[in-house]
Amino acid sequence: GIQVEQSPPDLILQEGANSTLRCNFSDSVNNLQWFHQNPWGQLINLFYIPSGTKQNGRLSATTVATERYSLLYISSSQTTDSGVYFCAVASGTYKYIFGTGTRLKVLA
Amino acid sequence: NAGVTQTPKFRVLKTGQSMTLLCAQDMNHEYMYWYRQDPGMGLRLIHYSVGEGTTAKGEVPDGYNVSRLKKQNFLLGLESAAPSQTSVYFCASSPQGIEAFFGQGTRLTVV
C-alpha cells in the first residue's frame, strides 16, 4: 500500500515565525488533504489539494503530484496554530491513508 | 446542517462486552469510513463503505464489524471488546471519495 511520511515529526516555533511542513508519498495518488488536529482532538479540514497551489489566509499548500510530495506553509504563526498536522492521501480505491503527523507547538 | 455526527462521544467498556458506534451524515455522501487513532499515531482505516449496502475492509479490520443499511448511517460494532481496542474512533464521509469530512470522534476505553 501507499506509504505516507511527514516531516519534521515535531516543531517548536516562536509566535510570528514561519514554517514548512512536508508530506512525501510512495505512489501516485488521486486525492490529498491536509488536516489540523487541535488540542481538543477535532480534525479540521485545511486543504483538499491533489495538485497545484492553494492559499487560505496565513496558510498555503502546494502539491507536486509528479514528484510525490506536498508542502504546507504556515506564516506568522499564532498559538492557536498548535496541534498536529496530518497529510492524508488516497489512490483510486478512495481509501485515505494518513501520515503520522507533525506536532507543532507555537510559543507566545 | 450538522455534517458528520458520532454517537456516543465517550464510552467505557469491560473486556468482553459488545457495543455499537453510530455515525450519521446529512450531506448525502456516498462514501463513509471508520478510523481509529492511537496515541502519537495517525489515523488507521478500519472499514469503509462506497455506498448503501456495501462495506469493505481497511488496514485494521480484525475485531470489528460494520453495516451500512441506510446511506446516511454507518455503524461500527465491537462484538467482544479487548483492551487493545482502547482508542479514539473517527468516522468520515466523502462525496465520491474526494474530500473527506470527519466527525468529532468517540473516545473508547476498554478495561
Side-chain angles (χ1 to χ4, degrees), chain A residues 31 33 35 37 41-43 45 47-48 86 93-100 103, chain B residues 31 33 35 37 40-43 45 48 57 59 90 96-102:
Chain A
N31 301 317
Q33 284 188 250
F35 296 90
Q37 187 168 40
Q42 279 184 291
L43 280 165
N45 289 34
F47 294 102
Y48 170 72
F86 288 106
T93 54
Y94 311 110
K95 297 184 292 183
Y96 269 100
I97 304 300
F98 279 72
T100 52
R103 188 173 301 274
Chain B
Y31 293 76
Y33 311 83
Y35 289 85
Q37 184 179 28
M41 297 181 69
L43 279 70
L45 183 63
Y48 66 104
K57 294 180 180 179
E59 301 172 82
F90 286 95
Q96 305 299 326
I98 307 176
E99 186 173 6
F101 297 87
F102 282 78

Side-chain angles (χ1 to χ4, degrees), chain A residues 64-78:
Chain A
V64 184
T66 53
E67 297 188 20
R68 300 180 185 169
Y69 73 89
S70 183
L71 302 174
L72 177 69
Y73 306 97
I74 304 174
S75 64
S76 303
S77 58
Q78 301 175 358

Side-chain angles (χ1 to χ4, degrees), chain B residues 12-28:
Chain B
V12 179
L13 283 181
K14 293 183 179 178
T15 297
Q17 285 185 320
S18 63
M19 78 162 294
T20 300
L21 304 180
L22 171 63
C23 177
Q25 55 98 0
D26 60 4
M27 297 175 283
N28 201 34

Side-chain angles (χ1 to χ4, degrees), chain B residues 70-88:
Chain B
K70 293 183 178 180
K71 186 177 183 179
Q72 63 268 33
N73 295 336
F74 195 28
L75 279 62
L76 178 71
L78 287 73
E79 291 186 347
S80 179
S84 61
Q85 294 178 304
T86 294
S87 190
V88 180

